Amino acid sequence: MAKEQTFSIIKPNAVKKNVIGPILTIFEKNGLKVAAAKLTKIPKEKCEEFYAEHKARPFFSELVAFMTSGPVLLMVLSGENAIAKNREVMGATDPKKAAPGTIRALYADSMGENAVHGSDSPSSAEREIHLFFDKSEIVNL
């Protein structure tokens, strides 16, 4: 097993529902530690850069509008196989298909407003972490 870092976002709908604490508990109970965190609103330009791979898709504008609609909790999570573990505890993108007890099964409102984001690969994790965090902001756990 490899210790690694991944990027995670608790999205506006979950922040609005006041479920940051329960979501963090799920991460921690599954061996993930918070190495950095910021409660913030993502500026539109930064959000468009973050989701650049989806720019040509029809849902891009709606996604950016949702992600900039309210505060989010940006995080760096650390742990053994953190990327895979985070994706496992988040559950399927479509909350109707997410396994019981996963974050999306518990807190997502829809496929578009699915409560959390997590990096899908080491290269994505590195890009996403560096987009939102300076190295000095990340605790080496």
Side-chain angles (χ1 to χ4, degrees), residues 8-130:
S8 179
I9 302 175
I10 299 179
K11 294 182 178 184
N13 61 321
V15 172
K16 187 176 181 180
K17 288 182 190 178
N18 201 30
V19 293
I20 292 171
I23 291 172
L24 290 175
T25 297
I26 293 169
F27 289 141
E28 290 176 338
K29 283 185 176 179
N30 283 278
L32 296 169
K33 295 181 180 182
V34 177
K38 292 180 190 180
L39 185 64
T40 190
K41 275 190 83 174
I42 302 174
K44 183 180 179 194
E45 299 75 27
K46 179 82 88 169
C47 191
E48 288 172 342
E49 181 181 357
F50 178 69
Y51 285 115
E53 66 193 62
H54 300 303
K55 194 168 185 96
R57 297 200 169 123
F59 61 82
F60 179 75
S61 294
E62 185 178 325
L63 175 61
V64 171
F66 166 62
M67 290 299 293
T68 59
S69 69
V72 296
L73 185 65
L74 307 172
M75 295 177 290
V76 177
L77 300 176
S78 177
E80 296 294 324
N81 295 315
I83 296 166
K85 179 55 71 176
N86 184 31
R87 296 192 64 76
E88 177 187 323
V89 301
M90 285 191 311
T93 303
D94 182 347
K96 293 175 184 169
K97 297 177 182 174
T102 61
I103 294 167
R104 289 176 173 151
L106 294 167
Y107 303 114
D109 296 318
S110 66
M111 195 156 149
E113 296 185 7
N114 59 18
V116 287
H117 163 84
S119 301
D120 62 5
S121 68
S123 60
S124 291
E126 185 175 342
R127 182 186 76 81
E128 294 169 356
I129 289 168
H130 294 301

